Amino acid sequence: MKGNSILFKNVNVIDCDNERTFNGDVLVEGNRIKKVAEGGGILGDGDTRVIEGNGRTLMSTLCDAHTHLSWNSGDLDFVQNMPVEEHMLVCVESAKMYIDAGYTMCVGAASAKNRLDIVIRDAINAGRFPGPRYLANAMELATSNGLLLPKASNVVDGVDQVRKVAREIIGSGVDMIKLILSGEEITTRVWAQQTFFDDDEVAVVVKEAHRCGVRVSAHARSAESIKMCLRNGVDVIYHASYIDDEGMDMLEAKKDTVFVAPGLNWITATLEDAGQFGYSSELAEKVGYKRELENAVRGLTEMHKRGIKILPGGDYGFLWTPHGTYAKDLQIFVERLGWSTMDTIRAATVWGGEIMNMPNDLGKVKEGYLADLLLVDGDPLKDIKILQDKKRLHGIMKDGKFHKDPMTVGTPYEELVEA
Ligand SMILES: [Zn+2]
């Protein structure tokens, strides 16, 4: 017995390594994928647990590149004013919702209090609560004239103050640090096409972060803010709605190192679903979200043509973008951006491994990779919406262990035999 050994027989493998899918067997030993055999034929030893796939799909778990575990599916005031005791429980709950939805790779895109992300990340990693692999962030850094969430931001003005606060946050143990470089229409105070921060303020954050192995992300909707990211070495650009031609060329020149995560679900849901919460489509359109969506789709289409890495991750955790609905982002990539289902899945898996800084460990069904796997009832390449239906996620494995065991799923396909 070599410890935990699990064999998936007769599965439709989307390995994400190439354009093909194939039927075969996949053997997991310990926390890694030991063997992938096209056509099948793997025989486990007496201690191997065999899962009969019956043609179900086996693929990598998913990545959300713009995650807020501490956003509590409430309104903006609620996110800012929740007491810390309740707030920590919200993080525990959303971490579970992510892994329940098949996500084991999440990039923190700001937390509502400085230490919430760090504490939940460490608790997940210690095995105290279920959750994804998580890159922790802190409260976002914003200038005093560019605040999106006044009570959930580190307010910084001038290079010296930016450096001091950035150093404190980096020293607290984050993986990511986030800058608010542009506004956001829903605030009706600071706007998407406005740009805050100066280049030297951004540069000092990048310098301090990179010296400690921390990466920098930025809320950048305006054309100027996107270029500010690219001039100064920001690693992850969020939104990028109003990119101009110059910014596009700058981005293309850095396409091997920079990731874009547009967070499109926030915009589409604000335009389409917020009405039931009292924020009408007319209002959303009037403040500028329709215009922004049109610009974003145009820019993202050009980025995709140029081979820039665009990742799903839709700013879940607000009132009309509730936790648990994360895979809606994949549908948006297919339906709004016109991507193929294969390109979309690859963005959520292979590029997920890359943005997690584990490109040789996560995001593929490949020998030697970590066993973060989804066993899916049906073929997401034929219908991407399957991934939103938790009943069809029959097995969810992280690090070689089932978070959701297929044996617990009561379907006629379910079959478990000892080898
Ligand atoms: Zn966000």
Side-chain angles (χ1 to χ4, degrees), residues 66-68 71 109-110 140 178 219 238-239 315-316 318:
H66 187 129
T67 299
H68 298 292
W71 274 206
E140 46 205 30
K178 184 181 174 196
H219 174 100
Y238 287 132
H239 312 307
D315 235 334
Y316 294 88
F318 291 106

Side-chain angles (χ1 to χ4, degrees), residues 161-190:
Q161 194 182 19
V162 172
R163 182 192 291 113
K164 180 164 177 16
V165 172
R167 282 180 174 171
E168 282 169 6
I169 290 173
I170 293 160
S172 73
V174 294
D175 303 293
M176 307 289 303
I177 186 166
K178 184 181 174 196
L179 307 175
I180 299 301
L181 299 185
S182 72
E184 176 74 46
E185 316 300 28
I186 200 166
T187 65
T188 63
R189 289 180 286 105
V190 287

Side-chain angles (χ1 to χ4, degrees), residues 27-169:
L27 178 66
V28 171
E29 227 173 66
N31 66 341
R32 293 204 179 254
I33 297 166
K34 172 85 173 169
K35 198 165 167 55
V36 178
E38 188 170 349
I42 302 180
L43 298 172
D45 64 24
D47 294 320
T48 304
R49 182 180 163 198
V50 178
I51 310 280
E52 281 298 336
N54 287 316
R56 285 175 288 181
T57 295
L58 192 73
M59 59 182 283
S60 162
T61 52
L62 304 169
C63 173
D64 184 288
H66 187 129
T67 299
H68 298 292
L69 291 186
S70 59
W71 274 206
N72 50 18
S73 297
D75 62 22
L76 297 179
D77 284 341
F78 196 39
V79 171
Q80 295 178 79
N81 294 319
M82 175 169 259
V84 66
E85 294 84 355
E86 284 86 347
H87 221 145
M88 199 64 238
L89 293 176
V90 165
C91 296
V92 171
E93 287 165 349
S94 22
K96 180 166 184 298
M97 282 191 265
Y98 264 102
I99 192 165
D100 282 347
Y103 285 73
T104 69
M105 302 180 265
C106 289
V107 182
S111 62
K113 295 178 175 62
N114 272 329
R115 294 187 62 253
L116 289 170
D117 265 16
I118 298 167
V119 172
I120 185 66
R121 176 200 63 196
D122 292 349
I124 294 166
N125 290 346
R128 296 169 68 185
F129 302 103
R133 302 171 192 275
Y134 190 50
L135 300 183
N137 212 313
M139 291 199 296
E140 46 205 30
L141 267 61
T143 55
S144 54
N145 59 345
L147 292 162
L148 303 186
L149 300 166
K151 290 183 186 166
S153 302
N154 294 295
V155 185
V156 288
D157 292 297
V159 171
D160 289 344
Q161 194 182 19
V162 172
R163 182 192 291 113
K164 180 164 177 16
V165 172
R167 282 180 174 171
E168 282 169 6
I169 290 173

